[in-house]
Amino acid sequence: MRFRHPDGSTVHLAYCTNVHPAETLEGVLAQLRDHCEPVRRRLGRDRLGIGLWLARDAAHSLITDPASLRALRAEIDSRGLEVVTLNGFPYEGFGAEEVKYRVYQPDWTRPERLSHTTDLARLLAALLPDDITDGSVSTLPIAWRTPFDSRAADTARAALTTLARRLDALEELTGKSVRIGLEPEPGCTVETTADAIAPLTALSSPRIGVCVDTCHLATSFEDPHTALDALASAGIPVVKAQLSAALHAEHPHLPEVRAALAEFAEPRFLHQTRTRTAAGLRGTDDLPEALAGRSLPDGAPWRAHFHVPLHAPPAPPLTSTLSVLQDTLGLLVGGPHPRTHHLEVETYTWQALPADRRPRTRARLADGIAAELTLARDLLTDLGLKELP
């Protein structure tokens, strides 16, 4: 979906396909047919943006077979879809029964991460619509925090420096500008936007910036205004933003609140949980750990890294951090000029919701994704952006 900002530039809204498990090119093609096109039809749009997730095997198939890449581009076009951004965070296995810590491997200390991200940038340059010259790829925020030392930091910095040079060469070759956004996430070496400033300043490349995920921002209790102003002051671009909402518990000491939270403590994904104390931010790596004992103080609200559907917050006594998303979106695109032109709804946890809230059919999932996009569209138009055909 495209929107015209009051300054005349185009802002893109997509939804991320990592909600649909697929490791192979055949699986990606099936996603377009079974999920993406039905969502577009529900929205009554001739064109729908999708943020493709291409796992290692799918990306390898495309990069080594130009005919397959041309066929994917034709399939995207024929189904009324378009791609200006990729989700390059998960490498493989995102649809596995247990993902947890595995999603952070390989990290930016490993050559596989550089190779895969380079492939994604090249693929995106070929998939961009003819009238679009700028693309974005989000990636993990360097590495999980342990084990990580100064030598690992040097290795990761060298890999990202190499990537920046490759992106420069890609634009010279294709005329397409692809930028990479490190996506701060709780528990990683870059947990917050503030953590991103030092490593990205050291890189000093406009090709590599930040992907602001509003669920992660909220989980770490970051103030959107402070976070975005700090990035702007440091000259670090917001390459893209992922529109998502975290799980919020106002009174985690109450038994009924803990019982409600326990319904979201599922085995597939990691749900880092945070609270603010007088001594600073405290947290656990996962929600079950927070609920199991006294490792996390419960005298102040908890937030958990669980991407809840934007349009359907959990029932009381829980809620979501949709207000953080709204505040962030207003700061990103509500001013005289957009701070980013790429927005992506990323609720990959539909099938991890409590059993009574999970969509049981493809049709119900498509209904839910369309409802999320409708909410995001309404927020954008309320900010003065005009939806384009």
Side-chain angles (χ1 to χ4, degrees), residues 101 144-145 186-187 191 219-221 271-277 280-287 289-291 294-297 301-304:
Y101 294 94
W144 186 251
R145 69 181 186 279
E191 170 156 342
T219 300
S220 294
F221 288 88
H271 301 297
Q272 302 94 316
T273 305
R274 299 288 185 267
T275 189
R276 285 187 294 192
T277 72
L281 202 64
R282 291 279 301 277
T284 61
D285 283 355
D286 210 353
L287 182 55
E289 180 186 351
L291 293 169
R294 294 292 178 183
S295 59
L296 193 63
W302 286 3
R303 288 178 179 173

Side-chain angles (χ1 to χ4, degrees), residues 243-261:
L243 308 183
S244 53
L247 193 63
H248 180 94
E250 187 69 19
H251 303 292
H253 65 285
L254 296 176
E256 60 268 29
V257 175
R258 287 181 172 251
L261 283 169

Side-chain angles (χ1 to χ4, degrees), residues 313-348:
L318 304 179
T319 186
S320 80
T321 60
L322 181 62
S323 62
V324 176
L325 184 161
Q326 292 172 297
D327 292 345
T328 307
L329 189 61
L331 294 168
L332 285 171
V333 301
H337 303 287
R339 299 195 194 190
T340 186
H341 289 86
H342 292 176
L343 305 173
E344 179 183 66
V345 171
E346 197 214 13
T347 306
Y348 59 83

